[in-house]
PDB file of all heavy atoms in Angstrom:
ATOM      1  N   LYS A 321      37.165 -19.838  10.099  1.00 98.00           N
ATOM      2  CA  LYS A 321      37.693 -18.809  10.991  1.00 98.00           C
ATOM      3  C   LYS A 321      37.956 -19.409  12.372  1.00 98.00           C
ATOM      4  O   LYS A 321      37.497 -20.508  12.664  1.00 98.00           O
ATOM      5  CB  LYS A 321      36.659 -17.703  11.206  1.00 98.00           C
ATOM      6  CG  LYS A 321      36.373 -16.906   9.962  1.00 98.00           C
ATOM      7  CD  LYS A 321      37.198 -15.703   9.916  1.00 98.00           C
ATOM      8  CE  LYS A 321      37.008 -14.848   8.747  1.00 98.00           C
ATOM      9  NZ  LYS A 321      38.087 -13.909   8.554  1.00 98.00           N
ATOM     10  N   LYS A 322      38.572 -18.662  13.219  1.00 98.00           N
ATOM     11  CA  LYS A 322      38.822 -19.121  14.620  1.00 98.00           C
ATOM     12  C   LYS A 322      37.517 -19.060  15.385  1.00 98.00           C
ATOM     13  O   LYS A 322      37.256 -19.865  16.294  1.00 98.00           O
ATOM     14  CB  LYS A 322      39.843 -18.268  15.331  1.00 98.00           C
ATOM     15  CG  LYS A 322      41.256 -18.347  14.718  1.00 98.00           C
ATOM     16  CD  LYS A 322      42.044 -19.507  15.377  1.00 98.00           C
ATOM     17  CE  LYS A 322      43.515 -19.566  14.947  1.00 98.00           C
ATOM     18  NZ  LYS A 322      43.812 -19.464  13.530  1.00 98.00           N
ATOM     19  N   GLY A 323      36.661 -18.077  15.049  1.00 98.00           N
ATOM     20  CA  GLY A 323      35.411 -17.988  15.730  1.00 98.00           C
ATOM     21  C   GLY A 323      34.363 -17.430  14.787  1.00 98.00           C
ATOM     22  O   GLY A 323      34.625 -16.637  13.868  1.00 98.00           O
ATOM     23  N   VAL A 324      33.141 -17.895  14.951  1.00 98.00           N
ATOM     24  CA  VAL A 324      32.011 -17.373  14.126  1.00 98.00           C
ATOM     25  C   VAL A 324      30.809 -17.111  15.143  1.00 98.00           C
ATOM     26  O   VAL A 324      30.421 -18.031  15.893  1.00 98.00           O
ATOM     27  CB  VAL A 324      31.565 -18.357  13.055  1.00 98.00           C
ATOM     28  CG1 VAL A 324      30.265 -17.945  12.370  1.00 98.00           C
ATOM     29  CG2 VAL A 324      32.656 -18.612  12.044  1.00 98.00           C
ATOM     30  N   VAL A 325      30.278 -15.925  15.078  1.00 98.00           N
ATOM     31  CA  VAL A 325      29.075 -15.618  15.824  1.00 98.00           C
ATOM     32  C   VAL A 325      27.903 -15.633  14.815  1.00 98.00           C
ATOM     33  O   VAL A 325      27.924 -14.840  13.837  1.00 98.00           O
ATOM     34  CB  VAL A 325      29.133 -14.233  16.512  1.00 98.00           C
ATOM     35  CG1 VAL A 325      27.871 -13.861  17.122  1.00 98.00           C
ATOM     36  CG2 VAL A 325      30.280 -14.218  17.524  1.00 98.00           C
ATOM     37  N   PHE A 326      26.959 -16.492  15.054  1.00 98.00           N
ATOM     38  CA  PHE A 326      25.801 -16.534  14.237  1.00 98.00           C
ATOM     39  C   PHE A 326      24.791 -15.455  14.752  1.00 98.00           C
ATOM     40  O   PHE A 326      24.591 -15.360  16.000  1.00 98.00           O
ATOM     41  CB  PHE A 326      25.040 -17.833  14.287  1.00 98.00           C
ATOM     42  CG  PHE A 326      25.721 -18.888  13.425  1.00 98.00           C
ATOM     43  CD1 PHE A 326      26.198 -20.097  13.933  1.00 98.00           C
ATOM     44  CD2 PHE A 326      25.808 -18.727  12.013  1.00 98.00           C
ATOM     45  CE1 PHE A 326      26.768 -21.069  13.144  1.00 98.00           C
ATOM     46  CE2 PHE A 326      26.410 -19.669  11.218  1.00 98.00           C
ATOM     47  CZ  PHE A 326      26.860 -20.853  11.762  1.00 98.00           C
ATOM     48  N   ILE A 327      24.150 -14.742  13.807  1.00 98.00           N
ATOM     49  CA  ILE A 327      23.035 -13.970  14.202  1.00 98.00           C
ATOM     50  C   ILE A 327      21.862 -14.782  13.677  1.00 98.00           C
ATOM     51  O   ILE A 327      21.426 -14.619  12.545  1.00 98.00           O
ATOM     52  CB  ILE A 327      23.100 -12.508  13.612  1.00 98.00           C
ATOM     53  CG1 ILE A 327      24.468 -11.877  13.942  1.00 98.00           C
ATOM     54  CG2 ILE A 327      21.951 -11.689  14.132  1.00 98.00           C
ATOM     55  CD1 ILE A 327      24.628 -10.577  13.346  1.00 98.00           C
ATOM     56  N   GLY A 328      21.464 -15.688  14.480  1.00 98.00           N
ATOM     57  CA  GLY A 328      20.528 -16.727  14.106  1.00 98.00           C
ATOM     58  C   GLY A 328      19.111 -16.202  14.010  1.00 98.00           C
ATOM     59  O   GLY A 328      18.752 -15.094  14.348  1.00 98.00           O
ATOM     60  N   THR A 329      18.226 -17.080  13.540  1.00 98.00           N
ATOM     61  CA  THR A 329      16.745 -16.764  13.512  1.00 98.00           C
ATOM     62  C   THR A 329      16.195 -17.122  14.876  1.00 98.00           C
ATOM     63  O   THR A 329      16.699 -18.027  15.572  1.00 98.00           O
ATOM     64  CB  THR A 329      16.085 -17.532  12.390  1.00 98.00           C
ATOM     65  OG1 THR A 329      16.286 -18.939  12.615  1.00 98.00           O
ATOM     66  CG2 THR A 329      16.550 -17.143  10.994  1.00 98.00           C
ATOM     67  N   GLY A 330      15.135 -16.427  15.203  1.00 98.00           N
ATOM     68  CA  GLY A 330      14.372 -16.717  16.431  1.00 98.00           C
ATOM     69  C   GLY A 330      15.126 -17.020  17.696  1.00 98.00           C
ATOM     70  O   GLY A 330      16.006 -16.286  18.093  1.00 98.00           O
ATOM     71  N   LEU A 331      14.878 -18.191  18.249  1.00 97.00           N
ATOM     72  CA  LEU A 331      15.529 -18.557  19.482  1.00 97.00           C
ATOM     73  C   LEU A 331      17.002 -18.981  19.321  1.00 97.00           C
ATOM     74  O   LEU A 331      17.667 -19.229  20.324  1.00 97.00           O
ATOM     75  CB  LEU A 331      14.725 -19.824  20.090  1.00 97.00           C
ATOM     76  CG  LEU A 331      13.366 -19.537  20.628  1.00 97.00           C
ATOM     77  CD1 LEU A 331      12.568 -20.821  20.824  1.00 97.00           C
ATOM     78  CD2 LEU A 331      13.356 -18.705  21.845  1.00 97.00           C
ATOM     79  N   GLY A 332      17.486 -19.017  18.058  1.00 98.00           N
ATOM     80  CA  GLY A 332      18.904 -19.326  17.862  1.00 98.00           C
ATOM     81  C   GLY A 332      19.070 -20.466  16.862  1.00 98.00           C
ATOM     82  O   GLY A 332      19.589 -21.527  17.218  1.00 98.00           O
ATOM     83  N   HIS A 333      18.590 -20.222  15.622  1.00 98.00           N
ATOM     84  CA  HIS A 333      18.631 -21.300  14.611  1.00 98.00           C
ATOM     85  C   HIS A 333      19.342 -20.892  13.351  1.00 98.00           C
ATOM     86  O   HIS A 333      19.468 -19.663  13.027  1.00 98.00           O
ATOM     87  CB  HIS A 333      17.194 -21.705  14.169  1.00 98.00           C
ATOM     88  CG  HIS A 333      16.421 -22.153  15.400  1.00 98.00           C
ATOM     89  ND1 HIS A 333      15.143 -21.665  15.674  1.00 98.00           N
ATOM     90  CD2 HIS A 333      16.660 -23.040  16.405  1.00 98.00           C
ATOM     91  CE1 HIS A 333      14.695 -22.214  16.806  1.00 98.00           C
ATOM     92  NE2 HIS A 333      15.600 -23.025  17.215  1.00 98.00           N
ATOM     93  N   VAL A 334      19.873 -21.855  12.621  1.00 98.00           N
ATOM     94  CA  VAL A 334      20.398 -21.597  11.287  1.00 98.00           C
ATOM     95  C   VAL A 334      19.822 -22.769  10.420  1.00 98.00           C
ATOM     96  O   VAL A 334      19.413 -23.762  10.974  1.00 98.00           O
ATOM     97  CB  VAL A 334      21.948 -21.665  11.261  1.00 98.00           C
ATOM     98  CG1 VAL A 334      22.533 -20.427  11.997  1.00 98.00           C
ATOM     99  CG2 VAL A 334      22.484 -22.952  11.786  1.00 98.00           C
ATOM    100  N   PRO A 335      19.841 -22.619   9.117  1.00 97.00           N
ATOM    101  CA  PRO A 335      19.320 -23.790   8.316  1.00 97.00           C
ATOM    102  C   PRO A 335      20.082 -25.093   8.581  1.00 97.00           C
ATOM    103  O   PRO A 335      21.316 -25.075   8.700  1.00 97.00           O
ATOM    104  CB  PRO A 335      19.539 -23.274   6.822  1.00 97.00           C
ATOM    105  CG  PRO A 335      19.699 -21.841   6.954  1.00 97.00           C
ATOM    106  CD  PRO A 335      20.293 -21.452   8.252  1.00 97.00           C
ATOM    107  N   GLU A 336      19.205 -26.140   8.573  1.00 96.00           N
ATOM    108  CA  GLU A 336      19.733 -27.512   8.919  1.00 96.00           C
ATOM    109  C   GLU A 336      20.881 -27.885   8.034  1.00 96.00           C
ATOM    110  O   GLU A 336      21.830 -28.574   8.496  1.00 96.00           O
ATOM    111  CB  GLU A 336      18.580 -28.458   8.630  1.00 96.00           C
ATOM    112  CG  GLU A 336      18.378 -29.495   9.674  1.00 96.00           C
ATOM    113  CD  GLU A 336      17.010 -30.173   9.477  1.00 96.00           C
ATOM    114  OE1 GLU A 336      16.698 -30.533   8.306  1.00 96.00           O
ATOM    115  OE2 GLU A 336      16.243 -30.215  10.466  1.00 96.00           O
TER     116      GLU A 336
END
Side-chain angles (χ1 to χ4, degrees):
K321 295 265 179 195
K322 296 271 186 313
V324 173
V325 174
F326 281 121
I327 309 177
T329 57
L331 291 166
H333 304 127
V334 293
E336 224 166 50

